[in-house]
Amino acid sequence: MRVGQLELRDFRNIREAELDLSPGLNIFVGQNAQGKTSLLEAVGLLARGRSFRTEETRGLIRHGALSLRVRAAACADTDTAALEVEVAADARRLFVDGREVAPRAYQGRLDVVVYATERLRIVHGPMRERRQFLDRAAGALWPAYRQVLRDYERVVRQRNAALESGTGGLDAWDDALATVGGRLRLRRADYATRLGEALARGFRAAGEAYGVTVLPETPPCAGEATSELRRQIEARRRDERRARRSLVGPHRDTIAFTIDGTDASAWASAGQARSLLLALTLASLEVYRAERGRPPVALLDDLDSELDDERAGALCRAIAGRGQALVTTAHSGWAERVAAGARTFHVADGRFAEA
């Protein structure tokens, strides 16, 4: 999977850019606030229809412009699709081969994994960030996961409406939540197991051991998972009626990313959080590659802040040897030392010049 010719217009500080990306390693060199991370963000937007840096998509539009556009050819095996995202103040539009499509039809055309300091909220932020990390990574891997997640979110909304109104009919929504929620828990547990295995054999800093834990533990089959969730619903029924919202289920489950067996969200230092985030990024890339037989596009921002030259060079070469990687750095010397076989771009004031 890779991005070919990439075109950007009015994206953050980038007025207009057109780049021919290498199918392997691409390095973007420039000082801070010149547009390096914005380019990775644009590729992320093209893949997911949303930014990995902000929930406010309209804020991506360059100051003074009315809209932005990102367009590229996305290549997977022998298939190529022209993808395009347009964002205006009041709308976001997605296109495949020139035809506007709904988000559901757009998803899965291009997949990326992202390492960027903006994503440290996955480690230190609220529990919702860790649940979303697993759900989005698993959803990129399995379309069926995306479907059961959508079904579950719909059931939660409708059950919450029944709890809020107090008009009855809750038993039917209890059954739906237990059934769909049990399936989602099983799929999430499967992905967490694979991610944990990849973490155990992947990147680690200073000999640290990284892991992932999902609680409550999920029984190994769908029927048991459904029965267990139904028991949890019954145990919290009085609390839910008082709160008027659903208090149990996958949307409330605990996800812990651990360092040496301890929850990193509570005590990990800034350096440990960055190392864990990089390990999670590389592990999710490996899980995807093992399942699909090809890796997603790797977007690695400011990688030299985490790794020394030797390790960073080896990592870049390993990733690029399997697929496409876009890597940013503020240090030209670092880029020169790891750039063997790479396509290198110098970035200044939103402009890109190939070295």
Side-chain angles (χ1 to χ4, degrees):
M1 183 170 290
R2 65 183 179 87
V3 176
Q5 195 79 14
L6 176 65
E7 300 176 26
L8 291 80
R9 188 196 69 202
D10 294 325
F11 190 99
R12 290 202 185 268
N13 69 327
I14 303 171
R15 180 184 294 273
E16 193 168 5
E18 185 172 326
L19 297 85
D20 184 18
L21 298 176
S22 166
L25 181 60
N26 300 266
I27 299 179
F28 299 88
V29 187
Q31 298 303 308
N32 292 331
Q34 300 303 304
K36 306 185 306 296
T37 304
S38 295
L39 180 90
L40 302 193
E41 185 181 19
V43 176
L45 177 70
L46 192 71
R48 301 172 173 177
R50 55 181 171 77
S51 166
F52 61 77
R53 300 171 75 185
T54 178
E55 298 291 336
E56 185 53 62
T57 307
R58 292 174 297 180
L60 306 178
I61 302 171
R62 186 177 61 84
H63 181 69
L66 298 178
S67 64
L68 69 82
R69 184 187 70 203
V70 182
R71 181 166 57 195
C75 308
D77 297 329
T78 59
D79 297 327
T80 300
L83 304 183
E84 183 174 344
V85 178
E86 290 186 359
V87 177
D90 59 348
R92 181 196 63 171
R93 304 173 68 194
L94 308 173
F95 298 85
V96 177
D97 293 330
R99 181 173 60 88
E100 186 171 3
V101 298
R104 184 177 300 186
Y106 187 88
Q107 290 177 334
R109 307 278 181 166
L110 175 66
D111 291 320
V112 298
V113 296
V114 182
Y115 170 79
T117 54
E118 286 86 355
R119 289 170 60 79
L120 285 171
R121 60 184 181 271
I122 292 169
V123 178
H124 283 312
M127 189 63 64
R128 175 176 62 90
E129 297 288 346
R130 289 179 281 286
R131 286 192 289 261
Q132 285 184 347
F133 176 84
L134 287 189
D135 289 341
R136 288 170 176 173
L141 190 60
W142 298 310
Y145 193 106
R146 294 198 298 269
Q147 183 60 55
V148 74
L149 181 61
R150 283 193 293 261
D151 292 343
Y152 178 75
E153 290 171 343
R154 175 183 55 81
V155 168
V156 171
R157 286 194 302 270
Q158 294 172 321
R159 186 171 185 271
N160 283 346
L163 283 165
E164 179 67 29
S165 67
T167 55
L170 193 58
D171 288 346
W173 292 120
D174 289 351
D175 289 341
L177 185 75
T179 300
V180 181
R183 289 202 298 266
L184 180 56
R185 275 181 169 175
L186 278 175
R187 292 177 182 274
R188 185 187 278 169
D190 183 15
Y191 183 80
T193 297
R194 298 187 189 206
L195 185 68
E197 292 169 350
L199 282 169
R201 60 177 180 263
F203 166 81
R204 59 177 63 191
E208 294 171 335
Y210 306 125
V212 55
T213 302
V214 180
L215 296 174
E217 294 185 3
T218 302
C221 70
E224 292 179 5
T226 296
S227 297
E228 177 61 26
L229 183 48
R230 187 174 283 113
R231 284 192 292 270
Q232 292 167 5
I233 292 170
E234 184 61 32
R236 297 296 303 276
R237 184 177 300 280
R238 184 175 299 178
D239 295 333
E240 288 188 326
R241 289 188 184 278
R242 282 199 299 263
R244 296 188 176 185
R245 64 180 185 274
S246 302
L247 298 179
V248 295
H251 68 294
R252 303 280 292 189
D253 289 350
T254 296
I255 309 295
F257 296 131
T258 61
I259 300 176
D260 295 333
T262 303
D263 186 355
S265 67
W267 66 273
S269 68
Q272 288 175 317
R274 288 196 301 271
S275 296
L276 174 58
L277 178 61
L278 179 58
L280 286 166
T281 303
L282 298 175
S284 62
L285 188 153
E286 181 58 27
V287 171
Y288 188 105
R289 186 198 65 79
E291 178 73 12
R292 290 286 190 90
R294 63 174 189 267
V297 177
L299 308 178
L300 308 174
D301 190 38
D302 199 21
L303 188 62
D304 56 317
S305 68
E306 186 58 45
L307 301 175
D308 57 39
D309 289 1
E310 182 177 355
R311 182 174 287 184
L315 177 60
C316 288
R317 287 189 292 273
I319 293 174
R322 294 175 173 176
Q324 188 177 53
L326 280 61
V327 180
T328 73
T329 177
H331 304 104
S332 58
W334 182 90
E336 291 170 0
R337 289 189 291 273
V338 303
R343 184 166 292 167
T344 302
F345 300 85
H346 293 288
V347 187
D349 195 24
R351 297 182 177 88
F352 299 80
E354 186 173 355

